[in-house]
Amino acid sequence: MENIVNSNMIPGDEEESTLRPKRLKEYVGQEEIKEMLNVYITTAKMREESLDHVLLFGPPGLGKTTLAHVIANEMGKGIKVTTGPALSRPGDLASILAELEPGDILFIDEIHRLPKVMEEMLYSAMEDYVIDIVMGKDTGATTLRMELPPFTLVGATTRFGDLTAPMRDRFGIIHSLHYYNTDELSQIIKRTSKILNYKITDNATLELARRSRGTPRIANRLFRRIRDFAQYENENEINQKTTNYALDKLNIDKEGLDVTDRKYLDCLINRFNGGPVGLEALAATISEESVTLEDVNEPFLLQEGFILRTPRGRVATEKAYQHLNIKMGGLF
């Protein structure tokens, strides 16, 4: 069966979709997860069963959506795509579930944002492949039970801790995606270069990989922007000089930190004396949403050792001071 993306769902960018690997063997990085998924998928196909429900979590841009499509391709089944916030009424979820064929994949991104009533509907759907639909109101209300074919729910979230325990417990396969290393990102960039038919030198590839925050989505987005600079200068390939120039123009520094990252660190050090300080205070001071800082910026800053999270709040590390060329009491 061909992969199916519900027309009422959120379609991916066409070029981004082209860059996504279709099979596990094409998927770069996350080696342990790929190995485990290969075992689960192979044995599910041997038993002619649907794959157990899968939960993927980690920072944005690491390949959760791509893995959902890879799972569908490996299982040879269709996929329906939606997001937690898009499912606001029971009828929304019921209509999607009613369209599933046996073994299909239902991918729900931002599953932590599912309304409570939708989450409770999913419990019986995931466990018993049935949902109960309430018809009518008050004393005239009746319940219609709808049987569902066996299916696989793949949920993705950047906020694993926001999922309720009953929801987490209904997933049989749970994996955390981690940031990519420079070698893995270099492979992804080279693959993107071939698909988009625009050459990039090895030195430029390495420079771009180093500044991509360990995140394939960012690497691919920056590749396209650097390509724009190269084409503007009538260059037939991306070289290191153009890469450095473009990334500097885009305010991406040598460590991959962007404007918001540097504002965060500068505020933490100069306004709050390096911390500790609460996230809400930081967010308000630099006029950013706290949820954005927590989901997008902080995971990388923590991973790279620029900040610490303590019971009393965020604290800047020595590396942060060095990166901004600041020391306690003044400038270097």
Side-chain angles (χ1 to χ4, degrees), residues 14-32:
E14 185 175 346
E15 192 174 70
E16 188 68 32
S17 178
T18 302
L19 296 178
R20 284 184 178 143
K22 304 298 188 292
R23 298 284 181 175
L24 283 173
K25 64 182 180 181
E26 301 170 6
Y27 191 104
V28 177
Q30 313 294 344
E31 295 300 328
E32 292 184 4

Side-chain angles (χ1 to χ4, degrees), residues 212-226:
S212 294
R213 302 173 67 91
T215 306
R217 181 185 297 165
I218 292 176
N220 286 333
R221 173 172 59 81
L222 292 178
F223 180 94
R224 292 194 288 264
R225 300 291 69 78
I226 298 168

Side-chain angles (χ1 to χ4, degrees), residues 16-308:
E16 188 68 32
S17 178
T18 302
L19 296 178
R20 284 184 178 143
K22 304 298 188 292
R23 298 284 181 175
L24 283 173
K25 64 182 180 181
E26 301 170 6
Y27 191 104
V28 177
Q30 313 294 344
E31 295 300 328
E32 292 184 4
I33 296 176
K34 289 194 301 183
E35 180 181 357
M36 300 298 284
L37 284 176
N38 184 53
V39 171
Y40 303 145
I41 290 169
T42 300
T43 52
K45 291 170 72 174
M46 290 171 63
R47 295 190 299 267
E48 297 184 347
E49 296 176 355
S50 60
L51 184 67
D52 208 349
H53 303 300
V54 181
L55 178 62
L56 304 171
F57 67 96
L62 298 187
K64 297 182 288 293
T65 300
T66 298
L67 267 181
H69 284 83
V70 166
I71 288 170
N73 288 329
E74 294 288 354
M75 290 295 296
K77 300 296 182 178
I79 182 170
K80 299 282 186 182
V81 180
T82 187
T83 68
L87 300 173
S88 59
R89 298 173 300 174
D92 298 333
L93 180 58
S95 64
I96 295 173
L97 291 171
E99 295 177 0
L100 294 175
E101 299 290 337
D104 273 358
I105 309 298
L106 171 59
F107 175 60
I108 302 180
D109 199 7
E110 299 185 87
I111 195 170
H112 64 278
R113 296 179 62 188
L114 270 176
K116 185 66 175 177
V117 64
M118 301 294 100
E119 181 179 317
E120 291 174 349
M121 279 186 68
L122 274 178
Y123 292 165
S124 59
M126 294 171 72
E127 287 191 323
D128 304 316
Y129 302 121
V130 298
I131 56 171
D132 294 320
I133 304 173
V134 178
M135 311 288 289
K137 295 182 179 180
D138 302 325
T139 57
T142 59
T143 301
L144 172 66
R145 171 154 287 198
M146 184 171 74
E147 301 282 340
L148 302 172
F151 71 97
T152 298
L153 173 63
V154 178
T157 178
T158 58
R159 303 173 70 87
F160 181 75
D162 284 0
L163 288 174
T164 64
M167 174 59 82
R168 291 197 303 266
D169 291 345
R170 283 169 169 78
F171 288 94
I173 302 170
I174 301 177
H175 287 298
S176 170
L177 277 70
H178 54 75
Y179 285 109
Y180 290 65
N181 61 40
T182 301
D183 289 340
E184 291 168 342
L185 284 176
S186 294
Q187 293 179 54
I188 291 169
I189 292 165
K190 284 292 189 183
R191 180 178 180 273
T192 298
S193 170
K194 291 180 180 178
I195 293 173
L196 299 184
N197 195 29
Y198 206 90
K199 294 180 181 179
I200 182 170
T201 66
D202 291 340
N203 288 338
T205 297
L206 185 59
E207 185 66 28
L208 175 54
R210 286 171 176 162
R211 299 211 214 178
S212 294
R213 302 173 67 91
T215 306
R217 181 185 297 165
I218 292 176
N220 286 333
R221 173 172 59 81
L222 292 178
F223 180 94
R224 292 194 288 264
R225 300 291 69 78
I226 298 168
R227 178 187 60 177
D228 291 340
F229 279 88
Q231 286 185 316
Y232 184 79
E233 296 296 334
N234 294 315
E235 297 171 352
N236 58 11
E237 69 175 4
I238 296 171
N239 56 44
Q240 188 171 13
K241 180 181 178 181
T242 300
T243 299
N244 283 326
Y245 178 79
L247 293 176
D248 290 344
K249 284 290 186 181
L250 292 166
N251 288 309
I252 308 296
D253 68 24
K254 293 292 185 180
E255 295 285 346
L257 273 59
D258 60 20
V259 172
T260 303
D261 296 320
R262 294 192 294 275
K263 282 171 57 180
Y264 178 108
L265 295 179
D266 182 75
C267 178
L268 179 56
I269 292 171
N270 288 317
R271 295 291 297 274
F272 296 102
N273 297 316
V277 62
L279 176 61
E280 295 297 333
L282 270 170
T285 304
I286 64 175
S287 301
E288 292 286 347
E289 294 289 337
S290 59
V291 66
T292 301
L293 294 179
E294 189 171 21
D295 289 351
V296 178
N297 301 93
E298 287 194 337
F300 182 70
L301 294 174
L302 284 163
Q303 169 82 14
E304 296 302 305
F306 288 103
I307 63 170
L308 297 174

